[in-house]
Amino acid sequence: MLCLLFTFQQMNDRRDLLLSHGRASAEQLVELIHLSNGYTFEERVEWLDKSLLALMLDREMIRSVQLYRADLTEAGTEEFTLVSSAGPRPRATFTPAQLAGMQAHVYEDIDSLQVLHPLDGGEAHCWLAIELRRPYFLVGTYQIALVGLIGIIACALAALVWAVFLSERAARELMHFRDTLKEIGRGNFSIRAARSRSQELNLLGDQINQMADSLADNQVDFQDNLQQSMDDLRQSLDAMEEQNIELELARKKAIENSRVKSTFLANTSHEIRTPLNGIIGFTNLLLKTEMDELQRDYLQTIQRSSESLLTTINGILDFSRIEAGSLVLDHTPMNLGQVLEETLQILAPYAYEHSLELVPFIDAQLPPSQVGDPLRIKQILTNLVGNAIRCSEDGNIPVRIAVYGGKGSELMARISITDIGNRADDQPRHELKQLLSSQNLHQHQFNSNGMGLSIARSLIESMQGSIGIDDTENGGFTYWFQIPLVIDRNRSSAIRREQFPGCRVMLADPNPMTRQQVCQQLELWNAKPLEHGDGETLLPVLDQMWRHDALPDAVIVDTALANGDFDRFVAEVQQLVDTCQCRIIIQGSPMDLRRCYDPLRTRVLAFLGKPVSREGLLRALKRAVPNQSHPRPNTGSFPSLPWPDKPRVLVVDDYEANRLLMSELLRAQNIETVIASSGEEALSLWRKQHFDMVFMDIQMPNMDGIEATARIRSEESGRRTPIIALTAHVGTEEKSRLLTAGLDDYLSKPVSEAQLTHTIKRWMEFSSQRNDGNATTFREPRLVDISESLKLSNQDPNLARDLLRMLLKGLHDDEQALTQLMEAQDHKGMFELVHRLHGGCCYCGVPRLRAATEQLQEQLRPQREDASAEIRVDLFQRLMKEIRRLRDWAQEQDLDALFGLEPQSVEAAE
């Protein structure tokens, strides 16, 4: 910047110098012009030329000099006339207009550099133009610029040398700092940074030294703390080792206590279930005999109470199994609506103590038969409905079953219970709501009610269902749960709905909710219900209908119309029967029915207990309007099995009542029964006689059922006798142990007629022809052989279960594909599909399906390229029959329980 400023200053000085030279020359010429006024014009011009030439020669920097005079032309314009000139022609000329009004100045362009100065010569106006030599001026300027540039370069080089020197010195000091920090990083906290010539680097060195001092102090403290921590840890490890020893001893003691508890619970269960088997079984048999309604109600109360006791026992066992994580569900045919009605009838007396009515609403879309665990569903309902009763008083508790669609043969059943909430404190109900909505059950401390609900929730989650609780408008709660069920299509297809087309039934009941329930059921049977809720006007209304010959076919009168005055109620009912000739059905609670049973038993047609069940309502309507009903086929709930000959069955049980019960149940199935009271006696009878099936009790003195079964299996040859376990000692989770021991299936005590019929249907198969007058024998292997599956999988139960599950999963698609290939006569496709199916059977214990696929495969092998060949229809039908049997078997089984495994979680199954 100084160089540029200096250069510009020099250029301005030279310009001023030129102007001063031009002004001096002009002043000299003016002076000469004034001195030559006395001479002639020619002399003056000659003298002026000589003066201009002398002026140009005196200046080395002047190229030429011209003197102009401004004259007026004839047109009145002014133009320049060259008066005198010295040197070459100027490179630039000027007009008067260009110089008008201007003072002395320097004109500069690319070609010319001139100094213009006006001359005042009296009348004449002249301009002196001195053209300078441009190189002279430019060379001087360039010299000045060159000097400045050299100065700049010199200064820059000096600054660069100084900067390099400073940077090298700073780099050396920073390298020293780097080495110091490396040593500190390696743990050498004694090293220190040296002093520097720079104040800033001195500050950095001081900070590094302070950091090293701090790290050294921290290292000392760390070593002290580490040593202290090691000492403390050593002491803690010694204490933990002692605690581990104590915990191991406590664990062994807890395991032993758990084993003792489990043994106690199992023995207690066995001791209670054994007499319950006789109570429930003989009660069912007695219910099939002729008796009046009150006796039937008493027997049904005994039956439900026994089943309630059974549910309580199951609850105790289930709680123990839930804690141990070994709960396994049962899969048996059931009717969910009937399970609900039986549960409500058991809880009804408890509800009536608080002026409550339990009202069941069953979805008409619910199939008549499903596969599930009825006892545990009943246990869930007992807990939820019982809690609703404890929270309510004086009103109705509706219990609804709603059905939602599912995948394939599954359905989703939703059961909801709504309480009133007028007899409950807010805090306990809030805790119950937290219990049903919390993700972790183990965080809660349960009272008796909470424990029952926790068991119910655990059972629902084990069924892959869900449970929840919602608030209602009247301050109560609605408990609901959803569970998936499998439709039992084999039993559902054989059941038809009852029909009462055109039958008019009047329902006189002051409770609108119970009227709604009964009317919905009547409409489902195509009957026409008439509702009446006022007891005061019932007699006049029916009398008026009688006079107009419009009496209903039956009248259901609820005992609630009595309002406590049963004498008047009985008199009115008698008047309706005698005067109006009405067909009366008395409906009410068991206690109210007993109060009016004796005076009305000869006047009315039926007594209907509340809560009203579909079976009870149907039985009452059949008595009241026998000509209106369209009964279902005469098969009964559990029909006698159509055996061509009486099969012989051996029943082994050490309890006399159980032997007698099984004999009665089997006799009703047209089966010849032989009984044995011990394992030794059973083995002796089996050696001497032929039996088509054996029902074997497990827990018996001396030789138990498992030992007796093992002896039979070791001695039999050729024909395998199905042996079914009868046990009250174990649950479903022990099924794997029984099957592995050689038993084919098991029945849990108390044995129901439905379970017995279902088991006999599964295992008993007879040919239509008699063989030498003896009962048909089993010549085919077992449908599913668990022991063979375990053997094929190298005793790996997880692998055996997965292989069998994979085979069962594809049976439905294989069945449809085989049917289509058979219709299309595609021998090659059938051979490939049967060959693949046979390969899958070779890794599972399904001997009958394996044999069927092998026979059909060998028959298809030479015909797979011959489209004109015929396939043996009997072999194809046998294969399809075995596939359907295996599919039906799979719907009722829990593979985890069969192989003795814990149930898989929902996430793992997905």
Side-chain angles (χ1 to χ4, degrees):
M1 291 178 65
L2 290 175
C3 178
L4 292 176
L5 180 61
F6 177 72
T7 302
F8 289 140
Q9 183 64 36
Q10 289 296 323
M11 291 175 63
N12 289 331
D13 291 344
R14 283 181 173 271
R15 186 182 297 273
D16 294 339
L17 179 61
L18 291 176
L19 288 175
S20 63
H21 284 312
R23 187 178 296 109
S25 298
E27 291 177 354
Q28 291 177 8
L29 289 176
V30 170
E31 184 65 26
L32 290 175
I33 291 171
H34 285 295
L35 292 177
S36 61
N37 284 336
Y39 298 92
T40 62
F41 177 75
E42 289 78 7
E43 292 176 347
R44 292 170 63 184
V45 170
E46 181 180 359
W47 181 82
L48 185 59
D49 290 338
K50 292 179 180 180
S51 299
L52 292 178
L53 182 60
L55 177 63
M56 182 184 67
L57 295 176
D58 291 340
R59 304 287 187 270
E60 295 180 358
M61 57 183 167
I62 297 176
R63 178 176 179 269
S64 65
V65 180
Q66 290 82 25
L67 181 63
Y68 297 96
R69 184 179 65 185
D71 297 328
L72 291 175
T73 63
E74 295 178 356
T77 61
E78 189 178 21
E79 64 179 9
F80 280 135
T81 301
L82 181 62
V83 177
S84 178
S85 175
R89 181 180 178 85
R91 294 186 176 90
T93 60
F94 305 94
T95 62
Q98 292 176 340
L99 299 177
M102 295 185 63
Q103 299 297 323
H105 66 280
V106 176
Y107 173 79
E108 182 179 5
D109 59 9
I110 297 176
D111 298 327
S112 175
L113 178 62
Q114 299 183 29
V115 177
L116 300 175
H117 199 287
L119 298 177
D120 190 9
E123 296 178 358
H125 183 66
C126 300
W127 278 88
L128 177 64
I130 303 174
E131 184 178 15
L132 304 177
R133 295 182 183 275
R134 190 175 184 87
Y136 176 81
F137 178 77
L138 293 178
V139 168
T141 303
Y142 291 158
Q143 290 175 349
I144 296 173
L146 180 60
V147 172
L149 180 60
I150 292 173
I152 291 175
I153 292 174
C155 292
L157 290 175
L160 178 62
V161 171
W162 179 244
V164 170
F165 170 75
L166 292 180
S167 63
E168 288 293 333
R169 188 175 67 180
R172 287 193 299 271
E173 294 178 352
L174 290 176
M175 290 289 289
H176 175 69
F177 290 157
R178 184 196 65 180
D179 296 337
T180 302
L181 290 174
K182 282 185 178 180
E183 291 297 323
I184 294 175
R186 294 191 182 101
N188 184 11
F189 302 130
S190 61
I191 192 171
R192 295 294 182 268
R195 300 291 298 174
S196 174
R197 299 177 182 179
S198 173
Q199 183 177 359
E200 290 79 5
L201 293 179
N202 277 333
L203 293 176
L204 178 60
D206 293 341
Q207 294 296 325
I208 292 175
N209 293 335
Q210 292 178 7
M211 179 188 68
D213 294 337
S214 177
L215 290 175
D217 296 339
N218 291 336
Q219 186 185 32
V220 173
D221 295 340
F222 172 74
Q223 293 293 339
D224 295 340
N225 294 333
L226 180 62
Q227 184 63 33
Q228 182 65 32
S229 299
M230 292 294 292
D231 296 338
D232 296 341
L233 181 60
R234 191 176 296 106
Q235 295 177 1
S236 299
L237 289 175
D238 294 339
M240 287 179 62
E241 187 175 359
E242 296 177 359
Q243 292 178 358
N244 287 336
I245 296 174
E246 295 176 357
L247 289 175
E248 181 65 20
L249 295 175
R251 187 185 69 85
K252 292 181 179 180
K253 185 177 180 180
I255 291 175
E256 179 64 20
N257 292 337
S258 178
R259 188 190 63 80
V260 172
K261 182 186 71 172
S262 299
T263 304
F264 171 75
L265 289 175
N267 292 330
T268 303
S269 171
H270 177 269
E271 297 301 327
I272 297 177
R273 282 172 179 266
T274 300
L276 271 181
N277 184 44
I279 296 173
I280 296 176
F282 282 105
T283 302
N284 288 329
L285 294 176
L286 190 57
L287 283 171
K288 295 181 179 180
T289 61
E290 292 294 332
M291 64 187 72
D292 56 36
E293 291 298 320
L294 190 59
Q295 292 172 340
R296 182 177 297 275
D297 288 340
Y298 289 163
L299 286 175
Q300 288 178 345
T301 301
I302 295 174
Q303 181 189 34
R304 297 181 194 114
S305 300
S306 302
E307 292 175 349
S308 177
L309 178 59
L310 182 63
T311 303
T312 303
I313 297 170
N314 291 334
I316 297 173
L317 295 176
D318 287 342
F319 186 75
S320 176
R321 291 165 186 158
I322 290 170
E323 285 185 334
S326 59
L327 178 67
V328 179
L329 301 174
D330 201 358
H331 298 272
T332 57
M334 68 170 191
N335 187 320
L336 182 60
Q338 184 178 356
V339 170
L340 172 62
E341 292 171 343
E342 292 175 354
T343 305
L344 297 187
Q345 288 169 354
I346 294 173
L347 296 174
Y350 178 39
Y352 285 127
E353 293 178 1
H354 302 285
S355 302
L356 293 170
E357 288 200 22
L358 306 178
V359 187
F361 291 94
I362 301 173
D363 194 342
Q365 302 299 321
L366 180 68
S369 182
Q370 310 89 34
V371 176
D373 194 334
L375 290 180
R376 289 189 171 93
I377 293 177
K378 187 177 294 186
Q379 182 180 353
I380 296 170
L381 290 171
T382 301
N383 284 316
L384 294 180
V385 177
N387 188 77
I389 295 174
R390 285 188 289 270
C391 298
S392 306
E393 189 172 19
D394 192 15
N396 299 312
I397 296 181
V399 184
R400 294 179 170 86
I401 296 180
V403 177
Y404 301 94
K407 298 180 180 178
S409 60
E410 291 186 354
L411 61 86
M412 183 63 70
R414 178 187 174 97
I415 303 176
S416 60
I417 303 101
T418 303
D419 64 16
I420 302 175
N422 55 3
R423 198 168 64 92
D425 297 332
D426 294 337
Q427 183 63 25
R429 286 169 66 80
H430 180 68
E431 293 177 356
L432 291 179
K433 188 172 183 179
Q434 284 185 333
L435 169 65
L436 294 181
S437 59
S438 175
Q439 297 295 326
N440 192 354
L441 285 174
H442 302 287
Q443 295 178 353
H444 296 274
Q445 298 293 330
F446 302 131
N447 54 19
S448 58
N449 298 339
M451 182 173 294
L453 289 179
S454 68
I455 294 176
R457 176 178 172 181
S458 298
L459 291 175
I460 292 170
E461 292 175 349
S462 300
M463 297 177 184
Q464 310 302 327
S466 58
I467 186 173
I469 183 172
D470 300 327
D471 296 325
T472 59
E473 296 180 356
N474 59 355
F477 281 161
T478 295
Y479 307 89
W480 60 267
F481 66 94
Q482 294 183 167
I483 53 175
L485 297 175
V486 177
I487 302 174
D488 186 6
R489 300 191 182 278
N490 294 330
R491 295 174 57 85
S492 299
S493 59
I495 300 176
R496 295 205 309 253
R497 291 180 178 177
E498 295 290 340
Q499 299 293 325
F500 294 87
C503 180
R504 299 169 64 248
V505 180
M506 174 176 281
L507 178 60
D509 188 348
N511 191 336
M513 185 169 289
T514 56
R515 291 203 310 267
Q516 179 186 358
Q517 176 219 349
V518 177
C519 288
Q520 285 181 358
Q521 188 59 46
L522 292 175
E523 291 174 352
L524 185 61
W525 291 336
N526 287 337
K528 296 181 179 179
L530 305 174
E531 297 187 42
H532 190 85
D534 188 5
E536 300 294 333
T537 60
L538 177 62
L539 187 59
V541 168
L542 289 176
D543 182 68
Q544 189 70 17
M545 296 175 70
W546 175 73
R547 294 179 183 276
H548 291 81
D549 196 19
L551 276 177
D553 297 303
V555 179
I556 301 177
V557 182
D558 198 290
T559 55
L561 296 176
N563 291 325
D565 188 357
F566 281 92
D567 294 334
R568 180 182 61 82
F569 176 76
V570 170
E572 290 181 353
V573 172
Q574 291 176 346
Q575 184 177 356
L576 288 175
V577 175
D578 297 337
T579 304
C580 301
Q581 300 179 357
C582 294
R583 308 177 70 84
I584 301 297
I585 299 173
I586 300 298
Q587 171 185 289
S589 65
M591 184 179 297
D592 292 343
L593 292 180
R594 285 195 293 271
R595 298 180 64 179
C596 59
Y597 177 77
D598 289 334
L600 293 179
R601 64 178 179 176
T602 59
R603 313 301 292 274
V604 301
L605 297 177
F607 291 88
L608 182 60
K610 296 176 70 175
V612 178
S613 64
R614 294 171 297 176
E615 183 180 356
L617 180 60
L618 177 62
R619 188 169 58 248
L621 283 181
K622 285 184 176 180
R623 286 195 175 188
V625 285
N627 297 327
Q628 297 286 342
S629 65
H630 291 194
R632 64 181 70 178
N634 188 20
T635 59
S637 299
F638 310 103
S640 299
L641 303 179
W643 309 128
D645 291 316
K646 281 190 176 182
R648 303 182 76 250
V649 174
L650 176 61
V651 177
V652 186
D653 200 309
D654 62 335
Y655 191 64
E656 183 178 1
N658 289 339
R659 297 196 300 270
L660 181 58
L661 174 62
M662 290 295 296
S663 299
E664 290 296 326
L665 293 177
L666 292 173
R667 182 179 59 81
Q669 304 287 351
N670 194 26
I671 296 175
E672 181 182 350
T673 306
V674 179
I675 60 176
S677 59
S678 64
E680 295 87 349
E681 184 180 357
L683 186 59
S684 176
L685 290 172
W686 181 82
R687 290 169 177 169
K688 297 176 182 179
Q689 304 179 34
H690 159 74
F691 296 102
D692 298 295
M693 182 179 288
V694 178
F695 287 96
M696 181 73 69
D697 187 20
I698 297 301
Q699 185 172 347
M700 294 184 295
N702 299 325
M703 182 184 293
D704 59 9
I706 294 180
E707 183 179 355
T709 301
R711 298 282 293 274
I712 291 175
R713 294 298 184 218
S714 64
E715 296 181 13
E716 67 181 0
S717 60
R719 180 184 61 84
R720 181 185 177 91
T721 303
I723 303 179
I724 313 300
L726 289 176
T727 175
H729 182 71
V730 297
T732 312
E733 61 272 14
E734 294 294 330
K735 191 171 184 178
S736 175
R737 184 177 69 90
L738 298 178
L739 296 178
T740 306
L743 289 104
D744 297 276
D745 205 342
Y746 91 113
L747 286 176
S748 178
K749 296 179 182 179
V751 178
S752 67
E753 192 173 358
Q755 291 176 324
L756 182 63
T757 303
H758 186 73
T759 304
I760 295 175
K761 276 186 176 181
R762 182 190 303 170
W763 292 104
M764 292 291 292
E765 294 182 4
F766 296 91
S767 63
S768 59
Q769 299 180 354
R770 303 173 61 179
N771 185 13
D772 297 332
N774 295 328
T776 305
T777 59
F778 285 86
R779 286 181 169 82
E780 291 183 321
R782 303 171 67 178
L783 183 63
V784 178
D785 194 333
I786 300 300
S787 60
E788 183 182 358
S789 294
L790 293 172
K791 182 179 179 181
L792 292 172
S793 62
N794 197 19
Q795 302 301 322
D796 186 349
N798 287 286
L799 178 59
R801 177 201 59 192
D802 294 340
L803 291 174
L804 182 57
R805 179 174 292 166
M806 290 172 61
L807 176 66
L808 297 174
K809 186 177 180 181
L811 286 180
H812 177 70
D813 295 336
D814 293 339
E815 181 181 4
Q816 292 182 346
L818 283 172
T819 303
Q820 295 174 0
L821 293 172
M822 182 66 178
E823 293 175 353
Q825 291 295 309
D826 186 355
H827 297 176
K828 182 178 180 181
M830 285 190 65
F831 175 79
E832 293 176 354
L833 180 57
V834 173
H835 179 71
R836 179 179 60 80
L837 184 58
H838 177 68
C841 295
C842 292
Y843 296 97
C844 304
V846 286
R848 286 162 58 172
L849 181 60
R850 182 168 60 244
T853 54
E854 183 178 7
Q855 290 183 2
L856 184 57
Q857 174 184 253
E858 294 304 320
Q859 197 261 340
L860 287 171
R861 188 182 300 276
Q863 301 176 359
R864 50 185 168 176
E865 302 297 339
D866 187 3
S868 62
E870 294 184 359
I871 302 175
R872 288 184 56 183
V873 180
D874 58 336
L875 296 180
F876 176 77
Q877 290 179 349
R878 179 189 175 189
L879 175 59
M880 301 300 288
K881 183 178 180 181
E882 295 300 335
I883 290 176
R884 286 191 291 270
R885 286 176 177 173
L886 195 57
R887 286 181 57 201
D888 294 339
W889 176 88
Q891 289 182 354
E892 303 166 3
Q893 302 300 323
D894 187 340
L895 296 184
D896 295 320
L898 285 175
F899 290 96
L901 301 173
E902 294 185 359
Q904 290 181 330
S905 62
V906 178
E907 293 78 11
E910 292 176 350

